[in-house]
Each structure stands twice: as structure tokens, then as C-alpha cells.
Amino acid sequence: MEERLRFAVLGPVSAWRDSEQIELGPPQQRAVLAVLLLAEGSQVSAGALVDAVWGTEAPASALAILRGYVHGLRKSLEPRGDVATSVIRSTGDGYQLRVSPDDLDLGVFRTLLTRAEGARGAGDAQGVVKYLREALGLWRGTALAGVRGEYAQSQRQRLDELRLSAQAAYGRAELDRGNHARAAAELAGLVVEHPLDERLRELLMLALYRSGRQAAALETYREAQTLLADELGVDPGPALQTMYHRVLRADGTLLAAEAPPHPAPAPAPTPAPASTPVRAASAPPAQLPAGLSVFVGRNAQLAEAAGLPSAGTVVISAIAGMAGVGKTTFAVHWARQVAARFPDGQLYLNLRGFDPAGLPVPPEHALRTLLESLGADPHNLPQDVDALAASYRTRLSGKRVLVLLDNARDAAQVRPLLPGAAGSLVIVTSRDRLTGLIAVDGAHPLNLDVLTVPEARELLARRLGQQRVTAEPDAVEEIIARCARLPLALAVTAARAATRSAIPLAAVATELRETADGLDAFHGGDTAADIRAVFSWSYHALTPDAARLFRLLALHPGPDITLPAAASLAALTLPHTRQVLSELIQAHLVDETAPGRYTSHDLLRTYATELIRSIEPSQQIQAARHRMLDHYLHTAHGAAALTNRARALISLTPPAEGVFIQDFTADAERATAWFKAEEAVLPAVVAQADAHEYDAHTWQLAWAMANHLHWRGLWQEEEAVHRTALRGALRLGDQTAQGYVHRGLGTAMAGLGRFDEARSEAERAIQLFTACGDMRACAESCRTLAWIAEQQGDLEDALGAAQRSLELFRACGGRGADDRRSRTAIASALNAVGWNHVLLGQHQQALDSCLQALALCQELGDNTNAALTWDSIGHAQHHLGQYEEAVSSFREALALYQRQGGLPWFTATSLMGLGDTHFSAGRPEAARAAWTEGLVIMERLGHADAEQLRARLRRRRPSWAIRPLCCAGPLPRSVTWLSS
């Protein structure tokens, strides 16, 4: 039977294993546990833990001591457990304690306060008293008793305020029940403990007055008046003064239960030491797709939607109905009608729940997309779906945002994407009725059927002209019947009829009838057969090239395709492909959802899949798929070469004939933008390559994508892609391929905070590259190992691995363009060696190595790594007491960051170092200016280190002796060593 761990912070910090109390070790080890518990499941960075435990008195070995305390806690809490399954997880640059709210007294306290508030809203005064009494009974003395320091004191004050709010609410509840004397006694004791708290005095005055003690109530006011004047030099506030005058004139309405207002218990704080503020956005997101210009009908459903409450509550409208019924069109139309009510933004996300060629969007990926749209920095987002959902709910709290979730698979996919507070509207479309959302989450069902006959007739009139429709009523009725009154089928039919204005509609109806008579029915009934007949009729009117491209598009995994990818798929030129796509758009078989990006309705893709299986020879299908994979592989390879100029490039076989490779004209920003635009497509392409055993494409695509995925913080996706790639590499029996994949897995796992696994993967990569004699790849893997060891706090090994990578890079060399990459790699490795010397306190060696790196960066014109090297130099100079030189170095770094668009992540940390150096040099105002500028950037990014800057500004001194902060987190010191 699994043992249950329980924790307490509302008193001495304690833990129990079932009923046995656990010995938690020395006071500072208990303090580490307290910080992790108060984070309530969120990650706490190592730096924040150091600040919380030691404040300004942290020793130089604080990080090592901290690791020892974490080890000690793990052993105490789970004597028979291991690190991999520990309740205390290593995540990113810090730790996370996974604990259910039911197993932490603060969590239980919060739950009981919520229940009390619910009972109060329901008019259940007895329930309010019951829940508040239970909540207050959880307290075992002073919160965090035995934990010392500024952090503990600040959190103790927060918790005490929460307790006081609950006590005030309890007193109010007793008054509501008529227990005036009991309430007066309770409140009198609280007033003695908190004599300046006016809300308590107001309640005490009311309790005394209702107990028949008017004089005592008035004396309570006069006592407060005197204390406030003596202590603060102020008069009582308006509420207390009003209560005084009402008691003074014996206001009979005071005997009613509704005055004064309830002091509702405040929601429990989440006082994590390193908060994540909402990132400032330049403008609210406005992501709704364009509305249909010929939207018709649906008046009853629009009226129903208009009647739904939208203020003060979360409304989920699951629009259910069969494919092609117009769910998305209706949802977008309605969303655009009400968008003005949601000034904080409108979000749109296609969840691909029924995509015939791809998998539904996982909730964690959907949450990351939504959070980024709301301004979150992807590097600081958690990986766990529950933590992502919590962050999402936090960002939506207090805001009015419209969220349109299109094409949902089921309730489980949608539920994590729901806001947690009133004010936002969520519209969900799905073929499924989502009864789980309706039953459990209170969603309002809004079911769409096919169009009525008058609505279908109006749609045709809007597209073909009223005169033409009126002239042939019988033909129009047959067309409507043949299209089963489905908007999609009617739109496809109208698109073709509109291009044949000289052809009577009767002829169109006849063609549809004859097409249907010559086809086998879809499995699924007459409606499906009618739709298929419409598609077939429109398809057979296409030119041969358009018909072929329509079929081949079924091979693409989606969710959308670009012009170059479509050209490669069909082996056509770009101009001709553009012309063919225009024909498909005109026939309503393809939509251009964004400039240069094309997609089709799920039903049309299903029909295209049926066509290609029955018409296209297997050799042609294989050739088209090969061209598509070549397009993505060679384009991604070129983009990767521009976004990481130090990594050695892998060799590719030449692309097949007819493949179009995008040229980024040596523009790294364009290459990055391409990766960003294809984020949903590339993993699906890798999965398809694996499914059809294009093994070289599989691992090479993973290599090309890895750098971008890591930079974006998409570490789960990075791991998934490399696990897929490993299957291909193993099938090939290629040690080099396996080495690259293992190194990619290592960087992904390190990003996820699984450093022990990451280290094993990096060491395995080194073994494989050594065995096959690829010393350049081995050098890169040693650099990866150095970074992982640094994150583990194993600084000696980190330095050794960095030095080994430098040795190998120098031995490998290179020629031509490859020589430039080799020299860039050497410069980056020199900076890595120097940085590890900084971390070990070997500052002169650090300076010597970094100066060599700087000279090489300047020779190469590599401003990005030069900026990082200047920052390393600044840290070394600071520790050597060369404050003026350090200031100059930090400023050099900042100037280079600025020339490259800011690089805010690194700019903020250099500003932190600059401020620390100014302070050490005796310039506190200059230090404050630098820290303030850095804090603005950190808060905009939602960076965890923002709290450390706030601490500096509060204390007007560094949190502790200029601890280097740039190494924190899943991004290594050098921007050229992010991945495999």
C-alpha cells in the first residue's frame, strides 16, 4: 500500500508519513521544504531558494549546500525512493514539490474558505460557521514557526493576514446566526491582538450594539480614534466613522443582518518566492478568423447565443453537429458579433480533433500556444499540463477574453483550456456533443442542424444572384436536396455554378443527379452519398493538374501547406502551383486561411484520400511523399544552418527532382520565422516519415528542428521528435545517426529538468561518436555534457567536459565555410570554459579564457557570442575587484545585444550584473537604475529571476555576493550550443 505524505506550514513546518511524523533535519533544511511547499506545486529556482533561506548572508557554497538539503529532504520523506520518482523533482534550474492540496494544511485551509464563501452565497450561515471553524482549527500556532529570515517573515505575515480575514469572517457569520455575545467575545480578543485593524473594530462595535451594550460599542470607537491619532496621526476611516454615528443615534437597521458588508475570507495567496508576473503585451490578441461574407440564416441559434450570460460567469458553448454543417462558420460569425465585449483579447485555436491526416492537438501544446498568445515567454512556461493550465487560468483571471476552440475531439481535450474565473467566454466547436463539458463543467449546448430550405435557398441566391435562383425554382430545390442542405456541399456546388453562368441551373441539377447515380454510396447513409456526389461532380470539372494536386494534398499531414511544399508535392513550378491552387480555391475545394497557407475541410481531405488510393499508382504516391519530405528536410537544414552558425552541418543526399527548397538569402530572422510558421507541421512530417520508414529523413529532420524547438522551450515536443527519430536511426543501424539522436534527447531532457537522464544521453552520444570516429560531433556532445553538468551543480565535471570540447574543436579544424563554423565553435567553447571558471571562483583563469574567446568572436564578426563573452568577462572582472573594467564589459555586452534586436533574456541578466558592480563600486543610484531597467525586461518576459531584482531594489544591495544568474535555467551560456 502506498504511503501518504502530509505536510503542514500553519504552525511549525512538519511532515507525516501516514501517521508517523518525519524528522526533517536542521532549521535551514526545513526552510527549503517550507519554500517548496508555499510554492504550491510551482517550480522554485535554485537562486530563489538561496535568497529565501540565506537572504543577504548566503555563503559562496550556497548552491552546493542547497543540493545537500534537497538530498536530505528526499531521504527523509522517501527513504526507499529514488531521485527519478521523488516527490521533490529537479526541474529546469530549480526544484518542484508535487503535493496535492489535500495533503498540505494550507491547501485544505483554502478549500474550506472556498466552501465557506459558497455557503455564504447560498445563505447557509450554519455552513459558513462550520467550514470556517474547521479551517481555523488547522492552525497549530504561528505559521512557519522555527523558520527564520526575511523570506519566512514576509510569508508569515501573508499567512497571518489570511488567518485574520478568516477570523473576521467567522465573527461575521456568528453575528448572522444571532450569536452576538459569542461573536463579541471572539472579536474583542482579536482587537486586543490587532488594535489598529478597523474592520475588526467595526464588527466588534456591531456585536456589542446587538448585545445591548451601546456604551461599550461607542467606547471601542473612541479607543480606536485615540490609538490611530497617537500611532499614525490619522482619523478612523469612513466605514468605522459611519458605524460610530449609526450606533450613536441608535440606528435600528443595525439590528438587521445585512450590515455591515461581509468581510469575505480573502483567497489564499500563492506566495512563491519567485513570482511570474503577467507579461506586458503591446496589444490584446485578435486572432479570430475572417467572417464569411455570405453568412445566411441561423437566426434561431444566434438568438439563443445572444441570450447566454457573458458577464460574471464562464460560458462554454459546445456547438455540436455533423461534419460540413457549418459549425466553424457559425462560431466565427457569433464570436465576431460579441468580440467587442471582450476588450482583453480574442483567441483562436484549431484543436484538429477530427483531422483525417493528423493527430489532435495535445492539451499541453494547446495551452502553450494560448499562453504565448497572452504574452507568456515560452522559455519560462512549465511542462506539466496541470501547471500550464494553472498559469493559463492565472493570466485570464480578472480579464474578459473570448476563446474560440475549433474542432475539439472530446471534453478531455478541452477541459484544461477553460478559464478558472468568471468573465471570459469560451466557444467550442466539435462533431461530438461534448456531454462531459455540459454535465460536469456547465457548458451550454447549442446544436446545429443542416440549413432549412429557405436558408439554403438564400445561400444560393447570395452566391449566384437572386435573379438566377428565382428563375429556376425547381432546379434550385433539387440542388438543395442533392446537397442535403449542408452548407459545405452547397458552397462547393455554388462555386462551380458561379463560374458557368451561361449553364442553366437545371443542367447543374441533372449533373448532380447523374453523378450520384453512378457512385457507390459512402458508408453512413444517403446524406454522405449526396455529399460525395457533390464533391465528385466538382472534382471532375477540374483541370488535370488541379485534380492531381487535390489528390496529392491528401498525403500532407497538415494542418496546412505552403505554396513551396505543394509545388514539391506535385513537382510543379511555383507559378503553376499558384495557378492550380487558385483553381482549387475557386472550386471551394481548398481555402487560403492565411497568406500563402492552404487547407481543406476534413470531409474534402477524406474524399481526396479515397481518390488517391483508388487512382494514383503506388510508385507515384511514394515519389510524391519523398518529394514532400525532401522539401521539408532540405529547407529545415538550410534554416538550421543560419540559426546556429557554430554547429557542424550533417550531410544530406541530394533532393529528388521537382523539389523546391526555400532560400532564406542568408537571413537568420527569415529562417527562424519559417521554423515558427511550420511548428505544427514539422512534427507531423517526422511522424509520417517514421510511419513510412523514411528513416534518414526521420532522424535528419529531428536534427534540423532541434535547435528551434529548444530555443522556443518546446522541450516535450523536442523529446517526442527525437524518440521517433531514434526508431529510424536504430532501423538504419547508423551509429552516427544514433549519436545525434541521443544528444538531442539529452538537451530535451535537460530542458525538462531531468538532468540525470540527460547526462546519460549525452554520455551515450559521446560513446557513439567516439566509436565511429566523428570527433567534431563528439566535441559538440562534450559541450552539451558540460552544460548539463553545470545545471546539476557538478561544476568540476562541467569544466572538464568544456575543456575536452575545446581540445577536440581545436584538433578538428576545418576549411572554407566549415572553417568559420569551427572557429565559431572554438570561440564558444573558450567562453564556456571561462564561464565554468567563474562558477568555480577561478576568476583569473576565467578572464584569460574569455579574452581569447572575445578576440576570436571579434575576428569572426560574431556579435551574439561576443556579447555573451563580454558578459562573462564582466563577471570575472567584478570578482577580481576590477569594477570599472567590469562596468565597461557589461556595457559592451548590452550594446551588442541592442544591435541584434535586444535579446531580452540576456540583456536583463547583464543589467543585473551591471547593477551589482555599480553597487560594489559605491554607486547605489547607478545600481538602482540598472536593476530597475533589468526588472522591466524580466517582468515583460515573465522571468523567474524578476523576484531577485525586486529583492535588490527593496534592499538596495545585491541579494548575495554577485551570484552569476545568466547560467540559470534550460538555456546554456552560449547561444550556439542549444541542441544537437
Side-chain angles (χ1 to χ4, degrees):
M1 182 176 177
E2 186 175 352
E3 295 176 324
R4 179 186 177 189
L5 289 173
R6 293 181 297 111
F7 301 90
V9 293
L10 304 181
V13 177
S14 307
W16 293 265
R17 187 183 306 106
D18 291 334
S19 59
E20 176 189 359
Q21 187 162 359
I22 299 170
E23 174 54 48
L24 296 175
Q28 288 184 328
Q29 186 163 296
R30 289 174 178 265
V32 172
L33 178 61
V35 177
L36 293 173
L37 288 170
L38 289 174
E40 297 185 67
S42 298
Q43 174 186 330
V44 184
S45 70
L49 281 164
V50 167
D51 284 344
V53 174
W54 285 282
T56 60
E57 306 298 326
S61 58
L63 288 173
I65 297 172
L66 174 64
R67 285 193 295 274
Y69 285 154
V70 171
H71 176 77
L73 286 170
R74 285 170 171 162
K75 290 297 184 184
S76 295
L77 296 174
E78 298 164 302
R80 292 180 294 278
D82 56 39
V83 172
T85 60
S86 174
V87 69
I88 301 179
R89 298 173 56 192
S90 297
T91 57
D93 72 318
Y95 301 94
Q96 178 187 39
L97 196 156
R98 298 172 293 181
V99 59
S100 164
D102 294 337
D103 293 328
L104 174 64
D105 59 357
L106 177 58
V108 177
F109 186 77
R110 292 177 66 180
T111 299
L112 290 168
L113 294 191
T114 301
R115 290 177 181 172
E117 184 63 10
R120 187 182 69 82
D124 179 11
Q126 185 172 351
V128 175
V129 169
K130 172 181 178 292
Y131 292 128
L132 289 175
R133 186 183 293 128
E134 290 179 16
L136 292 168
L138 294 170
W139 287 74
R140 300 171 297 115
T142 303
L144 307 178
V147 180
R148 298 185 296 274
E150 291 182 14
Y151 168 83
Q153 184 57 32
S154 67
Q155 300 308 317
R156 196 174 290 117
Q157 290 171 358
R158 288 173 182 263
L159 295 172
D160 286 345
E161 177 58 31
L162 181 64
R163 181 186 193 183
L164 190 59
S165 293
Q167 290 171 323
Y170 179 79
R172 174 72 236 191
E174 287 285 16
L175 284 173
D176 287 348
R177 295 181 65 200
N179 296 328
H180 308 310
R182 180 185 300 172
E186 293 275 354
L187 290 164
L190 291 175
V191 166
V192 171
E193 295 175 19
H194 308 278
L196 298 178
D197 193 315
E198 293 186 39
R199 62 183 168 170
L200 296 176
R201 287 194 179 267
E202 184 183 354
L203 282 171
L204 177 57
M205 288 177 68
L206 179 62
L208 291 169
Y209 181 76
R210 287 184 178 179
S211 302
R213 301 170 61 191
Q214 182 183 24
L218 294 173
E219 181 57 31
T220 297
Y221 174 82
R222 296 189 188 99
E223 182 180 272
Q225 187 178 39
T226 301
L227 276 172
L228 288 167
D230 292 343
E231 298 286 336
L232 304 176
V234 298
D235 292 324
L240 193 57
Q241 289 188 37
T242 299
M243 179 61 72
Y244 168 72
H245 290 297
R246 293 180 71 185
V247 171
L248 185 64
R249 64 174 185 266
D251 187 346
T253 61
L254 283 178
L255 298 176
E258 65 268 19
H262 284 268
T270 305
S275 60
T276 304
V278 176
R279 183 183 177 187
S282 57
Q287 300 177 348
L288 293 179
L292 195 63
S293 60
V294 292
F295 183 89
V296 298
R298 304 300 194 192
N299 294 328
Q301 290 86 356
L302 286 171
E304 182 181 353
L308 296 177
S310 61
T313 185
V314 177
V315 179
I316 308 153
S317 183
I319 306 173
M322 69 173 291
V325 82
K327 299 179 296 297
T328 298
T329 300
F330 176 84
V332 171
H333 185 79
W334 173 34
R336 287 198 163 276
Q337 282 189 335
V338 300
R341 302 180 194 170
F342 302 94
D344 296 314
Q346 304 91 42
L347 303 175
Y348 172 83
L349 188 62
N350 182 359
L351 297 177
R352 301 180 67 190
F354 297 90
D355 193 314
L359 295 174
V361 176
E364 58 270 22
H365 187 86
L367 284 164
R368 293 182 69 87
T369 301
L370 292 169
L371 280 163
E372 287 188 50
S373 297
L374 291 168
D377 176 35
H379 299 105
N380 277 344
L381 292 178
Q383 300 296 312
D384 178 72
V385 67
D386 291 335
L388 284 166
S391 180
Y392 172 68
R393 292 191 296 269
T394 298
R395 286 182 176 272
L396 288 182
S397 179
K399 293 186 176 180
R400 294 186 58 79
V401 175
L402 188 153
V403 184
L404 175 48
L405 303 174
D406 197 14
N407 197 18
R409 181 74 184 183
D410 51 32
Q413 187 187 26
V414 172
R415 191 165 285 118
L417 313 182
L418 303 181
S424 293
L425 171 67
V426 179
I427 304 171
V428 186
T429 77
S430 179
R431 294 185 200 175
D432 186 84
R433 290 185 177 272
L434 302 181
T435 53
L437 285 184
I438 295 166
V440 177
D441 301 283
H444 181 95
L446 202 160
N447 300 314
L448 290 189
D449 201 349
V450 295
L451 296 174
T452 64
V453 172
E455 289 173 338
R457 192 182 299 114
E458 183 184 356
L459 186 152
L460 291 175
R462 294 280 296 274
R463 289 179 176 269
L464 300 176
Q466 186 66 53
Q467 183 177 359
R468 192 177 179 192
V469 170
T470 303
E472 299 184 75
D474 293 342
V476 167
E477 295 303 313
E478 183 172 359
I479 290 171
I480 291 172
R482 293 288 173 189
C483 291
R485 289 184 283 144
L486 274 174
L488 175 63
L490 287 163
V492 171
T493 301
R496 186 178 176 208
T499 64
R500 306 163 73 208
S501 57
I503 303 297
L505 293 180
V508 172
T510 300
E511 290 175 3
L512 284 172
R513 186 187 323 121
E514 292 173 349
T515 303
D517 292 341
L519 288 171
D520 296 328
F522 272 151
H523 297 294
D526 293 338
T527 298
D530 289 335
I531 299 168
R532 186 167 180 262
V534 170
F535 293 168
S536 177
W537 173 70
S538 188
Y539 164 77
H540 283 100
L542 297 171
T543 62
D545 281 347
R548 176 171 172 267
L549 180 58
F550 177 71
R551 296 192 303 271
L552 292 177
L553 287 173
L555 300 177
H556 191 272
D560 53 16
I561 189 170
T562 61
L563 176 66
S568 300
L569 194 61
L572 299 174
T573 65
L574 287 182
H576 189 43
T577 305
R578 187 180 289 109
Q579 181 181 349
V580 169
L581 284 168
S582 296
E583 182 180 346
L584 292 173
I585 292 169
Q586 192 172 30
H588 213 80
L589 298 176
V590 165
D591 290 320
E592 188 174 10
T593 54
R597 303 197 75 87
Y598 306 88
T599 190
S600 293
H601 192 281
D602 293 353
L603 286 180
L604 288 164
R605 295 184 69 178
T606 300
Y607 177 63
T609 301
E610 177 188 290
L611 287 174
I612 198 169
R613 288 173 178 170
S614 62
I615 295 174
E616 212 76 22
S618 60
Q619 298 93 327
Q620 294 297 321
I621 292 176
Q622 292 174 10
R625 182 176 284 119
H626 197 143
R627 287 193 301 271
M628 178 188 70
L629 295 175
D630 271 358
H631 160 76
Y632 284 111
L633 174 58
H634 285 266
T635 302
H637 184 273
L642 291 170
T643 54
N644 187 334
R645 297 182 183 272
R647 186 169 58 157
L649 301 180
I650 60 173
S651 299
L652 306 181
T653 57
E657 185 176 353
V659 172
F660 183 87
I661 303 170
Q662 289 182 246
D663 181 11
F664 302 108
T665 61
D667 187 336
E669 288 187 9
R670 287 182 58 193
T672 300
W674 181 85
F675 272 127
K676 181 70 171 67
E678 301 295 341
E679 268 181 13
V681 176
L682 287 171
V685 171
V686 171
Q688 187 172 114
D690 173 58
H692 295 279
E693 297 194 2
Y694 286 83
D695 295 330
H697 287 83
T698 304
W699 81 261
Q700 289 170 349
L701 272 166
W703 175 92
M705 296 164 56
N707 204 67
H708 174 78
L709 291 174
H710 201 89
W711 259 111
R712 294 266 296 136
L714 300 173
W715 301 307
Q716 288 181 338
E717 290 84 348
E718 185 183 11
E719 181 185 7
V721 163
H722 281 89
R723 291 207 178 280
T724 300
L726 187 58
R727 289 195 293 269
L730 290 171
R731 283 194 296 260
L732 288 171
D734 184 336
Q735 286 189 321
T736 299
Q738 292 167 31
Y740 280 116
V741 173
H742 280 293
R743 189 166 84 231
L745 282 169
T747 57
M749 290 171 177
L752 291 165
R754 290 152 45 194
F755 295 117
D756 291 343
E757 295 173 74
R759 189 161 184 167
S760 296
E761 295 291 344
E763 289 170 345
R764 177 60 178 151
I766 292 170
Q767 292 171 0
L768 288 164
F769 287 133
T770 302
C772 64
D774 191 339
M775 289 298 101
R776 174 63 189 266
C778 187
E780 292 178 349
S781 298
C782 286
R783 177 62 188 97
T784 302
L785 177 61
W787 164 51
I788 294 169
E790 177 189 324
Q791 301 306 304
Q792 290 180 303
D794 192 349
L795 300 182
E796 293 288 352
D797 277 7
L799 176 60
Q803 290 171 329
R804 176 60 176 159
S805 74
L806 175 60
E807 176 187 335
L808 290 172
F809 280 130
R810 282 174 165 162
C812 291
R815 295 181 180 179
D818 190 56
D819 176 60
R820 180 179 177 83
R821 286 187 175 275
S822 294
R823 292 163 69 208
T824 302
I826 290 170
S828 192
L830 280 165
N831 185 34
V833 169
W835 181 249
N836 279 284
H837 278 305
V838 168
L839 297 177
L840 285 165
Q842 299 160 358
H843 303 301
Q844 188 57 56
Q845 295 99 310
L847 188 59
D848 294 342
S849 183
C850 290
L851 287 173
Q852 293 179 58
L854 180 63
L856 196 47
C857 288
Q858 291 173 332
E859 181 183 336
L860 293 164
D862 183 356
N863 288 334
T864 300
N865 277 308
L868 291 165
T869 304
W870 274 118
D871 184 90
S872 300
I873 291 170
H875 279 91
Q877 290 168 330
H878 176 103
H879 285 286
L880 290 168
Q882 301 170 7
Y883 297 132
E884 299 309 316
E885 293 86 345
V887 166
S888 178
S889 296
F890 284 126
R891 285 177 173 164
E892 289 283 357
L894 291 167
L896 288 174
Y897 291 144
Q898 188 64 35
R899 285 171 56 182
Q900 295 165 88
L903 292 177
W905 183 289
F906 298 108
T907 296
T909 52
S910 288
L911 283 165
M912 195 183 301
L914 176 62
D916 290 348
T917 302
H918 275 309
F919 187 88
S920 295
R923 296 187 289 267
E925 291 308 314
R928 186 173 185 81
W931 290 337
T932 301
E933 188 178 350
L935 179 60
V936 170
I937 297 171
M938 291 281 197
E939 288 182 332
R940 187 176 73 246
L941 293 174
H943 197 294
D945 282 341
E947 182 57 31
Q948 297 187 39
L949 276 170
R950 292 192 199 96
R952 283 161 160 75
L953 288 165
R954 283 195 301 269
R955 302 164 185 156
R956 299 203 174 197
R957 61 180 180 271
S959 299
W960 57 294
I962 188 167
R963 177 170 48 85
L965 294 167
C966 307
C967 59
L971 292 179
R973 189 68 187 149
S974 167
V975 297
T976 55
W977 293 106
L978 291 172
S979 193
S980 57

